[in-house]
Amino acid sequence: MKTSLFLAIVLLSGFSAGVIHGLTNLALVEPYLDQAIGIENQNLFDSGEAKDGPSFWVEYNSYRYWQKEGQILAGGILGMSIGSLFGIIFAFSRKTLPEGHDAKKALILAAIMWGSIFLIPFLKYPANPPTVGDPDTVVLRGILFLSFIAISGFGALGFYYLSKKLQKRKKIISIIGYAAFMSIMFVIMPINPDKMTAPVDLVNGFRMMSLLTVSIYWVSNAIILGVLWQRFQPDKPIYTKTH
C-alpha cells in the first residue's frame, strides 16, 4: 500500500464530497432553517425573552451570515472525517466487493454504509429543524441517535462476518437476521421524547432535503474515491530492485 497516495486520495475525496454536501445543504436545507428560525424568533418576541428591534436583527443577521459562510468549510472538514472511515473500510473490503470499476465497488460499499449508519438511524430518529425539541432533552436525543447508529453499524458488521461463514445459498440468512435484529431494536429503543411543535410541511421538507443532501455526499464520495483509486491504484504493490 502506498500510504501517502492512499491518504491523499481518501482525504481529497472526503473533503471534495464534503464541500459538495455543504453547497447542496446551503441551497436546499438552509431555506427551511431560515423559516424554522423565523418561527423560533417570533416565539421569543411573543414570550418577551427577546425584543424585536434593530440590535436583535443586526446580531442575528451577523450570526446567520457567519454560519452560512462557514458551512462549506465545515462540510469539507466533516466530509474528510467520514471519508477517512469510508476509505479505510474500502481498502480492507475492496477485494470482497463485486468485480468491476473501483467506482462501482465504492458505490456498493457506500450504499451499504449509507443504509446502515445513516438511513436506518434516520428512520428511527429523523432530523428536526429548530423549534422542534426541548433544549433540556438535546443530550438525551443525541445519545439515542448515536446509540442507534452504533447498534445498526455493528449489527451490519456482525451479520456481514456471519455471511462470510455461510455458503452462497445461505447468505440470505444473514440479511434476514440483520433485518429481524434491527426490527426488534426499532421497537425496543425509546421514541423521540419531543412533541412536534412546528408546521408539518416545514418539518417534512427539512427532513427530505436533509436526507437528499447526505445521500449526495455518500454518492459523491464514492464516485470520487473510486475514480481516483482506479486511476492511481494506491494498493498496487511497490516493487524494489534486488541485486
Side-chain angles (χ1 to χ4, degrees):
M1 176 71 74
K2 304 170 187 175
T3 305
S4 59
L5 182 57
F6 167 75
L7 290 174
I9 289 174
V10 169
L11 294 177
L12 178 61
S13 59
F15 182 80
S16 300
V19 169
I20 293 172
H21 174 256
L23 290 169
T24 53
N25 219 50
L26 195 60
L28 301 176
V29 177
E30 280 297 327
Y32 291 97
L33 280 176
D34 285 333
Q35 186 180 346
I37 295 173
I39 296 173
E40 198 172 54
N41 288 341
Q42 189 58 52
N43 291 337
L44 291 175
F45 300 148
D46 293 341
S47 65
E49 295 181 44
K51 185 177 180 181
D52 186 0
S55 60
F56 174 88
W57 291 111
V58 168
E59 183 178 352
Y60 168 77
N61 289 328
S62 175
Y63 170 74
R64 284 294 287 153
Y65 177 80
W66 170 84
Q67 194 177 46
K68 290 180 181 181
E69 288 295 309
Q71 188 171 149
I72 298 174
L73 178 59
I77 295 172
L78 179 61
M80 277 197 299
S81 63
I82 299 175
S84 297
L85 174 64
F86 178 69
I88 292 171
I89 295 176
F90 181 77
F92 279 103
S93 63
R94 178 177 172 274
K95 293 183 179 179
T96 64
L97 293 167
E99 293 295 326
H101 195 284
D102 282 312
K104 172 188 173 183
K105 293 184 176 184
L107 281 168
I108 292 172
L109 178 61
I112 295 171
M113 293 183 66
W114 170 84
S116 60
I117 66 176
F118 172 69
L119 180 61
I120 292 176
F122 182 89
L123 293 175
K124 177 64 177 179
Y125 301 112
N128 285 323
T131 75
V132 176
D134 186 340
D136 293 335
T137 65
V138 65
V139 174
L140 172 61
R141 285 181 279 130
I143 292 173
L144 290 175
F145 182 66
L146 292 176
S147 297
F148 209 75
I149 290 176
I151 290 169
S152 181
F154 284 112
L157 185 63
F159 282 99
Y160 165 73
Y161 280 113
L162 174 62
S163 71
K164 292 180 68 174
K165 296 181 179 181
L166 299 173
Q167 297 178 355
K168 290 184 178 180
R169 293 183 179 180
K170 295 183 178 179
K171 288 184 182 295
I172 189 67
I173 295 175
S174 62
I175 298 175
I176 296 173
Y178 175 70
F181 170 70
M182 290 311 302
S183 297
I184 293 171
M185 296 312 301
F186 256 84
V187 176
I188 292 177
M189 289 291 287
I191 62 172
N192 192 318
D194 293 322
K195 296 180 179 180
M196 188 73 66
T197 56
V200 175
D201 291 344
L202 169 61
V203 175
N204 288 339
F206 176 83
R207 289 175 176 175
M208 290 302 298
M209 291 301 103
S210 297
L211 176 63
L212 176 61
T213 56
V214 173
S215 301
I216 289 173
Y217 165 79
W218 280 100
V219 172
S220 302
N221 196 6
I223 292 175
I224 297 171
L225 177 74
V227 169
L228 292 176
W229 198 289
Q230 183 78 23
R231 172 67 178 81
F232 296 103
Q233 299 180 7
D235 57 338
K236 189 175 181 180
I238 302 175
Y239 297 100
T240 57
K241 294 182 179 180
T242 57
H243 298 283

